[in-house]
């Protein structure tokens, strides 16, 4: 049987539409009335208890239905109490209710049950969200500070205090920027700044973004950026963000404020009758509408006219609902809207039609909640902007490796889209997406090997590693654990850093190689110069002591030969110097190369005979003329023949041949059956001052300039010089001489 409502019809209507359960007990503790919301919250909407039921029995029935949690858990509240009583309970369905019992005049009591589940969940989500944001900021290496429009410090993190050099306790909330700068000046932190820059510190970031560098007394340099924020304050960044020391406290304060606003539930109630006159109004409504209160019996039309004149419905009453001023029936359906008062109050207005044609207006002041939400949104937007402006990709994961937050750069560096790298995805799921995108290598087996090398557990591998992305960039991935068991992944592009390092190492190796080459050349030249000098000195001394003319002539011939050897060495060095300086001079002329080839071979007959090898000459008559410097061609041939004879053992053969080439010009070939060289050593053989056999005890003398000069001189005359060699089989040098009308010098 349904409980009978009070006789006062307006009061009954009010109780039925209240967003709370209400029950009335008489002085003896017997149930007199309970609205439908009371039974619905308890889960007894279909079978309410009849009037006259004792409060204890009502309590027992609600406890059995699980309204107060599992049986044997929290003690049920007193639904009927001689003094005001309040208790928070949680039903077995997970719903939170605040149960309040208030004595009534003349005995009896009224019990209200308010569902605050949404409030409790909002509080928990706000605290968790604030904790997550704080965890991110606490691990950034950038110092952050914020001042308000009065230049008072309203926020800073530990990295800021450490980086600016104010010392422990040198920065505090509420201190003026001028006070902070004065402390830095006294500590000597501003000694290296220009006086005019120190004087302008207080204006930094007030009217626009300011970026500058400051050198600290210890020699370190700080990067600072200050920019204005909404409301007239200034946001200052120093270095990298690693911690936001006050984020947790601010989040807790914000959660407490939100908890206070939501838990109070200040509902204002106004009841209109079918005649559109006020039949009932409570104190909460009058408080919310302070300055525009209503009186019982006042007509809706008169209230609307007064409020239009007061500007309650906007300029000229443009926002007034039509049924308030026109001769229309009251709304027959539930409506809900948000309304803004001229004094800044923000309300939600709920209009519920009554069966008799009247209506109930339920009004809630949500000003504080709205402002808190706006502040939280601004705060979240500011923190998001900080993350997005970081030079590294940042991703925060919880203890189960589920993504909580990430900036756009993190997705880009991970090779994923922002949609793919959205909060809620697990790290293993992100890895699968990366493998599908070929982020770990084009070969599936190589990619699987890379993933397995990271370890079976998510955080089993080392703290930092570097991998190469498909586009060739090098990515450094760093993992830092968070106190709650989660972790932060930081992605940094180190391609340029590694490239510069490689270039520096290559430059160092080249410098060391050049130094070794120089040292080897000096040692070689010293040896090459000392040998003929010993001959000159030795035979000169012998000439001074010798009286026989025939021996004097022989000694003089040896001195002359040694002097010629010294002259050739010096000429070779001078030629190399001219080539490197770009001052090589050639005498251009058209001539027959055949006589020069024969003369060069003839000049080597004595050396060939002494070496015990054969010299074959195959130079026909009528070779095509060539354009160039005849003396330089002879110099090239002498150097090549010298090498061929020097590196061919006794019993070997050296062949100098020439023939007309297809298309004009001629081919000059010098082949030997000497020791040869490995193909990889051929480029080194053409380097200046380089000998493949190093050391003073090498078997073959020489300055290492022969092939270098030969290639430089032939190239200057337009002759293509190529060299083919095989170890133990010999070397072949080919000179491709262009036609005389095509050669350039």
């Amino acid at each position: 049987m349904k409980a009978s409502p009070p006789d006062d019809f307006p009061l009954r209507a009010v109780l039925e539409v209240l967003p709370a359960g209400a029950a009335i007990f008489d002085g003896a503790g017997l149930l007199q009335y309970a609205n439908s919301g009371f039974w619905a919250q308890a889960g007894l909407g279909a079978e309410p208890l009849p009037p006259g039921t004792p409060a204890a029995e009502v309590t027992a029935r609600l406890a059995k239905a699980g309204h107060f949690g599992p049986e044997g858990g929290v003690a049920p509240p007193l639904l009927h109490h001689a003094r005001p009583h309040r208790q928070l309970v949680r039903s077995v369905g997970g719903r939170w209710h605040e149960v309040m019992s208030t004595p009534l005049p003349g005995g009896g009591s009224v019990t209200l049950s308010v569902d605050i589940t949404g409030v409790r969940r909002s509080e928990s989500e706000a605290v968790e969200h604030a904790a997550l944001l704080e965890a991110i900021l606490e691990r950034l290496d950038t110092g952050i500070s914020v001042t308000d429009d009065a230049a008072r410090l309203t926020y800073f993190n530990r990295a800021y205090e450490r980086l600016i050099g104010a010392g422990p306790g040198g920065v505090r909330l509420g201190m003026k920027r001028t006070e902070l700068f004065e402390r830095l000046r006294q500590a000597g932190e501003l000694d290296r700044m220009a006086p005019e820059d120190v004087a302008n510190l207080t204006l930094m970031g007030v009217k626009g973004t300011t970026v500058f560098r400051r050198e600290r007394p210890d020699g370190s340099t700080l990067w600072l950026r200050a920019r204005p924020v909404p409301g007239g304050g200034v946001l200052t960044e120093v270095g990298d963000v690693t911690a936001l020391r006050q984020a947790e406290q601010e989040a807790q304060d914000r959660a407490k404020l939100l908890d206070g606003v939501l838990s109070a539930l200040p509902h204002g109630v106004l009841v209109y009758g079918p005649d559109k006159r006020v039949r009932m109004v409570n104190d909460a409504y009058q408080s919310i509408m302070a300055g525009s209160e209503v009186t019982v019996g006042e007509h809706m039309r008169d209230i609307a006219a007064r409020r239009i004149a007061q500007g309650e419905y906007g300029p000229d009453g443009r926002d007034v609902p039509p049924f308030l001023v026109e001769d229309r029936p009251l709304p027959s359906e539930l409506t809900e809207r948000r309304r803004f008062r001229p004094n800044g109050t923000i309300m939600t207005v709920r209009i519920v039609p009554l069966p008799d044609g009247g209506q109930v207006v339920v009004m809630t002041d949500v000003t504080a909640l709205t402002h808190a939400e706006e502040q939280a949104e601004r705060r979240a937007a500011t923190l998001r902007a900080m993350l997005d402006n970081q030079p590294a990709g940042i991703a925060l994961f919880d203890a189960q490796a589920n993504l909580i937050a990430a900036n756009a750069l993190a997705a880009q560096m991970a090779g994923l889209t922002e949609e793919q790298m959205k909060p809620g995805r697990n790290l293993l799921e992100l890895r699968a997406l990366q493998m599908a995108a070929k982020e770990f290598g084009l070969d599936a087996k190589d990619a699987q090997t890379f993933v397995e090398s990271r370890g079976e557990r998510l955080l089993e591998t080392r703290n930092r590693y570097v991998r190469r992305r498909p586009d060739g960039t090098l990515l450094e991935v760093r993992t830092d654990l968070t106190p709650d068991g989660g972790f932060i992944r930081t992605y940094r592009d180190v391609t340029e850093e590694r490239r510069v390092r490689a270039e520096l190492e290559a430059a160092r190796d080249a410098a060391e190689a050049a130094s070794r080459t120089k040292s080897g050349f000096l040692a070689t030249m010293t040896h090459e110069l000392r040998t003929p000098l010993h001959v000159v000195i030795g035979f000169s001394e012998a000439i001074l002591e010798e009286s026989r003319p025939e021996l004097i002539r022989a000694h003089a011939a040896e001195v002359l030969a040694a002097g010629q050897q010294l002259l050739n060495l010096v000429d070779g060095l001078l030629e190399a110097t001219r080539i490197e300086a770009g001052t090589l001079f050639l005498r251009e002329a058209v001539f027959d190369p055949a006589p020069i080839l024969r003369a060069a071979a003839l000049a080597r007959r004595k050396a060939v005979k002494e070496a015990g090898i054969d010299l074959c000459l195959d130079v026909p008559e009528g070779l095509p003329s060539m354009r160039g410097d005849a003396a330089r061609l002879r110099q090239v041939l002498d150097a090549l023949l010298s090498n061929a004879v020097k590196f061919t053992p006794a019993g070997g053969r050296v062949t100098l041949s020439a023939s007309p080439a297809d298309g004009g010009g001629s081919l000059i070939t010098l082949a030997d059956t000497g020791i040869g060289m490995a193909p990889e050593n051929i480029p080194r053989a053409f380097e200046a001052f380089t000998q493949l056999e190093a050391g003073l005890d090498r078997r073959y003398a020489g300055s290492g300039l022969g092939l270098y000069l030969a290639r430089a001189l032939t190239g200057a005359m337009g002759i293509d010089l190529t060299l083919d060699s095989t170890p133990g089989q010999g070397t072949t040098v080919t000179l491709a001489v262009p036609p005389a009308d095509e050669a350039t010098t």
Side-chain angles (χ1 to χ4, degrees):
M1 181 179 69
K2 187 173 182 180
S4 300
D7 294 334
D8 191 320
F9 182 77
L11 178 59
R12 178 189 61 191
V14 171
L15 293 175
E16 284 298 321
V17 299
L18 277 177
I24 300 174
F25 296 90
D26 61 14
L30 300 179
L31 178 66
Q32 296 299 307
Y33 170 77
N35 66 358
S36 56
F38 184 82
W39 303 117
Q41 289 185 13
L44 301 176
E47 48 181 32
L49 297 176
T53 302
E57 184 177 343
V58 175
T59 302
R61 182 67 178 274
L62 296 183
K64 184 176 181 181
H67 187 56
F68 307 124
E71 292 192 61
V74 177
L78 297 175
L79 299 183
H80 170 61
H81 205 273
R83 291 189 301 273
H85 179 76
R86 177 178 296 193
Q87 184 172 342
L88 186 67
V89 299
R90 186 180 186 186
S91 69
V92 292
R95 307 293 297 182
W96 287 91
H97 297 85
E98 187 175 30
V99 181
M100 299 166 286
S101 178
T102 304
L104 295 175
S109 64
V110 59
T111 297
L112 294 178
S113 178
V114 181
D115 190 328
I116 61 170
T117 305
V119 176
R120 299 282 296 191
R121 289 175 179 171
S122 298
E123 293 171 0
S124 176
E125 292 174 357
V127 171
E128 290 179 1
H129 183 66
L132 293 177
L133 293 179
E134 180 191 9
I136 294 175
L137 293 177
E138 281 295 325
R139 283 159 180 80
L140 296 179
D141 295 331
T142 301
I144 301 293
S145 73
V146 181
T147 57
D148 60 14
D149 55 354
R152 291 188 300 266
L153 195 62
T154 60
Y155 171 78
F156 68 92
N157 61 359
R158 288 178 294 183
Y160 178 82
E161 181 180 25
R162 171 176 54 81
L163 290 172
I164 67 174
V171 184
R172 67 179 185 277
L173 294 180
M175 72 185 305
K176 288 278 191 177
R177 295 180 80 193
T178 54
E179 181 183 353
L180 174 61
F181 297 147
E182 176 61 22
R183 184 178 183 88
L184 293 176
R185 187 190 67 77
Q186 293 177 359
E189 287 289 334
L190 309 182
D191 289 349
R192 297 194 180 186
M193 291 184 64
E196 58 272 18
D197 293 337
V198 175
N200 291 329
L201 280 177
T202 55
L203 302 177
M204 180 180 66
V206 174
K207 295 184 178 180
T209 300
T210 304
V211 180
F212 69 97
R213 292 181 182 271
R214 174 169 76 83
E215 187 174 354
R216 295 191 59 197
D218 61 2
S220 62
T221 302
L222 298 181
W223 174 85
L224 298 96
R225 178 171 66 179
R227 50 185 171 177
V229 295
V234 175
L235 168 67
T236 303
E237 300 171 70
V238 184
D240 296 325
V241 175
T242 55
L244 291 176
R245 185 171 56 185
Q246 293 190 338
E248 181 179 3
Q249 184 61 45
E250 291 180 4
Q252 291 176 352
D253 292 343
R254 186 167 62 251
K256 289 179 181 178
L257 174 62
L258 191 59
D259 179 56
V261 172
L262 296 177
S263 63
L265 293 176
H267 300 291
V269 179
L270 172 66
V271 180
Y272 286 106
D275 57 357
K276 297 186 178 182
R277 292 188 179 275
V278 177
R279 300 182 63 177
M280 190 191 78
V281 62
N282 66 356
D283 292 338
Y285 182 93
Q286 302 288 41
S287 176
I288 294 173
M289 293 302 300
S292 187
E293 296 86 347
V294 301
T295 58
V296 176
E298 190 173 11
H299 198 280
M300 181 186 294
R301 181 178 57 253
D302 298 330
I303 297 173
R306 185 176 73 252
R307 289 181 174 174
I308 290 174
Q310 293 173 335
E312 289 286 341
Y313 296 106
D316 303 325
R318 65 182 59 172
D319 297 329
V320 63
F323 68 87
L324 292 179
V325 294
E326 298 177 3
D327 189 15
R328 294 185 183 181
L330 296 175
S332 59
E333 296 180 355
L334 185 146
T335 60
E336 189 168 350
R337 65 189 180 94
R338 178 166 290 196
R339 181 178 159 197
F340 299 85
R341 293 200 63 202
N343 64 2
T345 303
I346 306 172
M347 307 168 297
T348 57
V349 182
R350 186 183 188 193
I351 301 176
V352 183
L354 297 175
D356 66 348
Q359 67 179 17
V360 175
V361 179
V362 180
M363 186 175 292
T364 304
D365 184 347
V366 294
T367 306
L369 175 61
T370 302
H371 290 168
E373 290 174 347
E374 292 174 351
Q375 180 182 1
E377 290 175 359
R378 289 193 298 269
R379 180 69 174 172
T382 301
L383 295 178
R384 184 70 188 183
M386 291 179 185
L387 288 178
D388 289 340
N389 287 328
Q390 294 303 309
I394 300 174
L396 175 65
F397 294 84
D398 62 16
Q400 288 72 43
N402 296 317
L403 182 64
I404 299 173
N407 60 4
L409 192 55
Q412 177 184 338
M413 289 187 171
L416 303 174
T417 65
E418 292 187 48
E419 175 63 24
Q420 288 175 322
M421 200 164 180
K422 62 182 180 181
R425 288 190 184 274
N426 190 271
L427 178 61
L428 295 179
E429 185 179 358
L430 294 175
R431 282 184 179 177
L433 292 173
Q434 287 179 292
M435 291 186 65
K438 308 296 184 183
E439 186 65 22
F440 301 135
L442 300 178
D443 185 83
K445 185 176 181 180
D446 292 343
Q448 185 63 36
T449 301
F450 173 82
V451 171
E452 291 175 354
S453 69
R454 304 272 71 81
E456 296 180 359
R457 296 193 312 172
L458 298 179
L459 296 176
E460 194 168 13
T461 59
R462 55 188 178 275
N463 184 49
R464 184 194 310 248
Y465 67 89
V466 176
R467 67 176 177 86
R468 184 177 297 276
R469 298 193 59 209
D471 60 4
T473 59
L474 294 175
L475 191 67
E476 180 186 75
V477 183
R478 171 180 171 181
T479 302
D480 293 296
L481 300 180
T482 58
D484 61 354
F487 56 96
I488 289 180
R489 276 280 166 84
T490 305
Y491 305 88
R492 190 167 67 91
D493 189 338
V494 295
T495 307
E496 184 64 17
E497 176 184 319
R498 294 300 178 93
R499 183 190 66 79
V500 172
R501 184 190 302 174
E503 289 181 354
L504 290 175
E505 291 177 353
R508 181 198 61 199
D509 294 341
E512 292 175 352
S515 177
R516 289 193 298 270
T517 301
K518 177 182 177 182
S519 299
F521 168 70
L522 291 176
T524 299
M525 291 307 300
T526 300
H527 180 76
E528 293 296 324
L529 290 172
R530 285 174 62 88
T531 300
L533 281 174
H534 280 309
V535 173
V536 170
I537 294 172
F539 280 102
S540 296
E541 292 175 347
I543 290 173
L544 292 175
E545 297 176 358
E546 184 61 58
S547 59
R548 290 171 292 181
E550 64 278 9
L551 292 180
I552 292 176
R553 286 181 59 84
H555 294 341
E558 294 293 340
V559 171
L560 177 62
Q564 187 64 45
Q565 184 180 355
L566 284 172
L567 180 61
N568 291 337
L569 285 173
V570 174
D571 285 343
L573 291 174
L574 292 176
E575 290 289 352
T577 303
R578 294 190 189 99
I579 291 171
E580 292 184 355
T583 59
L584 181 66
F585 176 73
L586 297 178
R587 297 180 182 276
E588 184 177 346
V590 177
F591 60 90
D592 182 1
I596 298 175
L597 293 172
R598 297 189 186 97
L602 182 61
R604 290 289 162 182
R605 288 193 179 276
K606 180 180 178 181
V608 167
K609 183 177 180 180
E610 292 176 351
I613 61 177
D614 294 332
L615 175 61
C616 301
L617 181 65
D618 182 12
V619 179
E621 297 291 342
L623 281 177
S625 298
M626 65 172 287
R627 182 184 296 275
D629 189 326
R632 296 295 189 184
L633 178 61
R634 173 61 185 272
Q635 185 177 350
V636 170
L637 293 172
D638 286 343
L640 296 177
L641 282 167
S642 175
N643 276 351
V645 172
K646 178 167 57 176
F647 293 111
T648 300
R653 182 178 66 258
V654 175
T655 302
L656 176 61
S657 61
S659 62
D662 295 339
S666 57
L667 292 178
I668 301 174
T669 303
L670 178 62
D672 64 61
T673 59
I675 62 175
M677 70 182 81
E680 61 270 18
N681 288 331
I682 292 177
R684 289 183 54 218
F686 285 102
E687 294 178 1
F689 314 122
T690 299
Q691 289 185 313
L692 299 183
E693 186 179 41
L696 297 179
D697 58 347
R698 63 192 189 282
R699 292 171 296 169
Y700 306 101
S703 62
L705 292 173
L707 287 178
Y708 170 73
L709 293 175
R711 171 160 284 182
L713 292 174
T714 54
M717 291 186 290
I719 300 173
D720 184 20
L721 185 154
T722 59
L723 186 150
D724 294 317
S725 186
T726 302
Q729 297 183 18
T731 301
T732 300
V733 179
T734 303
L735 302 180
V737 181
D741 56 349
E742 296 181 5
T744 58
T745 59

